Amino acid sequence: MTAAIQTRDLHKRYGHHVALHGLDLTVRPGTVFGLIGPNGAGKTTTLRTLVDIIRPTAGTVSVLGEDPRRGGAALRRRIGFVPGELRLDGRATGHRLLSFYAEVSGPVDRGMVGDLADRLGVDLNRPVRSLSKGNKQKIGLIQAFMHRPELLILDEPTSGLDPLVQREFLQMLREARDAGQTVLLSSHVLSEIQQAADEVAVLADGRVVADGDVASLRLGAVRRVRATLTGADAASVLSRFTQIPGMTETNAAERGDAVLLTGTIEGAIDPLVKALAQYDVHDLTMEEPDLEESVLRLYGDPTSSKPPRVADTPGSGRRQHGVSAKRRGLGEGERERKGGAR
């Protein structure tokens, strides 16, 4: 089966700044693929390369089986694209603007534009320049979805949208996938990726530092533990559980006749279970980290020559590295670096 998107050893350099370092990506047809990473990771540069807005310095790119540099208008009609910083202006109404886009992108089913406008809650009779950022974003989504393209490339598509519209957007993604369309979704809203994506690649400094299915990213050997125990005092409980391999952030406190134990366990949980069996356990909670916590642990040393797939990493199936809060940031309004990288 031909990949919907495939990049091999993709490099992009802006002067002395290297935005992409040998990027390898494969997106299977009919899937939703999430692309996540901190500011400046190279997400927008990657997406712009796929739609031939910018040209790579080295490496190969295949989109729907074609080189985007040679596919021309015929290939672009098969793609729905929402840029990261959508700019819509002018006196034209939403209806008129979308009519123009329909002539460019290809045939649109009768009533499709109106249905999408109703779902997203945007008035297409108003001049585009009078619309808020969120309503302009809705028009951008309509133009991407309305001709039912084979491939949707969406860069921060829910920027400026309220939670109810974000939920409707996620439903649109599911419907697109069910219809056989492929979606490449770049987002800093990790809950979006968690709910919508089948597979995820994590970028840092222009490299894939981990990739795999969403379940693998969330799973792992990192679990938060909270237990209420009797049969010992807090000091002895703390001493016992701090000796367990992989147990960190361990704390034990007296709670009446019981001891409240909290901590984080990474790796095999069998030693933890055996230690708990020595006490009367009145309550036990073990929580898996959400995608955000898992992803922050994946941002790591980008100089590694072979970033592993999540499922291939020893132990939890994840890379772990220390990173600064600045590098881990996933704030809104991700801006391009000098030279166009982001």
Side-chain angles (χ1 to χ4, degrees), residues 1 11 16 50 55 66 88 91 109 120 149 163 177 188 222 225 228 234 250 276 297:
M1 180 183 295
H11 288 76
H16 295 294
L50 297 176
R55 297 284 174 89
E66 299 187 50
L88 298 177
R91 298 176 181 274
D109 293 346
L120 295 174
R177 177 179 55 197
H188 69 272
V222 177
V225 180
T228 303
T250 310
L276 288 170
R297 297 174 63 86

Side-chain angles (χ1 to χ4, degrees), residues 3-11 20 22-27 35 45-47 49-50 56 58-63 68 184 208:
I5 295 173
Q6 189 165 62
T7 70
R8 286 290 177 264
D9 199 27
L10 187 64
H11 288 76
L20 299 177
L23 190 69
D24 291 337
L25 282 180
T26 300
V27 179
L35 197 62
T45 296
T46 300
L47 269 55
T49 302
L50 297 176
T60 62
V61 181
S62 174
V63 177
L184 176 58
V208 176

Side-chain angles (χ1 to χ4, degrees), residues 43 83-84 137 154-159 186-189 334 342:
K43 303 188 300 296
Q137 192 73 12
L154 311 175
D155 192 0
E156 307 285 2
T158 60
S159 176
S186 167
S187 179
H188 69 272
V189 183
E334 186 179 53
R342 192 171 130 194

Side-chain angles (χ1 to χ4, degrees), residues 21 43 74 103 113 165-166 222 273:
H21 301 258
K43 303 188 300 296
E103 293 178 5
V113 171
V165 179
Q166 290 180 25
V222 177
V273 173

Side-chain angles (χ1 to χ4, degrees), residues 1 5 11-12 29-30 54 101 109 115 125 148 157 181 194 198 225 259 279 305 320:
M1 180 183 295
I5 295 173
H11 288 76
K12 180 59 183 178
I54 61 175
Y101 286 140
D109 293 346
D115 289 344
N125 294 312
R148 301 183 189 275
Q181 296 168 266
Q194 189 165 315
D198 302 301
V225 180
V259 174
Y279 304 89
S305 61
Q320 300 174 35

